[in-house]
Amino acid sequence: MKQNADLANVAREMLRQAYAPYSGFRVGAALETESGEVYGACNVENASYGLTICAERAAATQAVSAGHRRFRRLVVATEGDRAVPPCGACCQFVAEFGDDTRVYSVAKKETQSWLLKDLIPHAFTKRLLET
Ligand code: THU
């Protein structure tokens, strides 16, 4: 299993690929599957702003497209001093596949960690579609 530092390095490397000409806010993400593979991605903005894709969701779509459905760790890398949590949309998106994923956020002067279920305690899950 990779060290947290290795995962963080993948996320930082992805951050360098960020396409963020509008916000200037560059984000990288690394998502580790239950079986230990790592998928990285960056945020990809668009002139039609609402089409922007966050780094975390971009990483998740890659992992899911490769057949993975369970995720152990998600690392988010940003360039500012303080660590930021993934946005609500990304939390919801990843919670589709289980909410016990451990989330790390690494910034210049700070690292934070949460369980996904603590970031989004009331995720809308497939179970709710049956009520
Ligand atoms: N962004 C992410 O990539 N992940 C998040 O969790 C929050 C926001 C991106 C979207 C946009 O390109 C930029 O950061 C500013 O919101």
Side-chain angles (χ1 to χ4, degrees):
M1 192 163 95
K2 279 198 170 11
Q3 302 290 313
N4 281 348
D6 297 328
L7 272 184
N9 282 338
V10 172
R12 285 197 194 95
E13 211 160 284
M14 288 296 115
L15 183 153
R16 290 169 48 208
Q17 307 293 346
Y19 179 72
Y22 305 108
S23 72
F25 192 80
R26 299 152 69 82
V27 186
L31 185 62
E32 181 191 51
T33 69
E34 199 172 54
S35 45
E37 289 90 345
V38 178
Y39 292 84
C42 60
N43 55 331
V44 183
E45 297 188 345
N46 192 277
S48 177
Y49 294 175
L51 296 183
T52 291
I53 299 176
C54 292
E56 300 90 323
R57 265 178 294 158
T61 56
Q62 287 197 46
V64 172
S65 299
H68 301 284
R69 299 290 185 267
R70 306 291 303 174
F71 304 110
R72 200 149 51 196
R73 288 178 291 178
L74 169 64
V75 179
V76 184
T78 49
E79 299 176 295
D81 287 346
R82 300 291 159 215
V84 299
C87 79
C90 288
C91 290
Q92 169 66 33
F93 196 84
V94 177
E96 172 71 19
F97 304 99
D99 64 1
D100 53 359
T101 300
R102 170 61 62 180
V103 179
Y104 296 90
S105 181
V106 295
K108 215 152 63 185
K109 294 191 175 164
E110 188 182 35
T111 295
Q112 279 200 51
S113 171
W114 310 266
L115 270 179
L116 185 56
K117 62 165 94 45
D118 293 327
L119 289 175
I120 183 159
H122 299 284
F124 188 85
T125 59
K126 47 182 163 285
R127 192 171 42 83
L128 296 173
L129 293 173
E130 291 151 16
T131 59

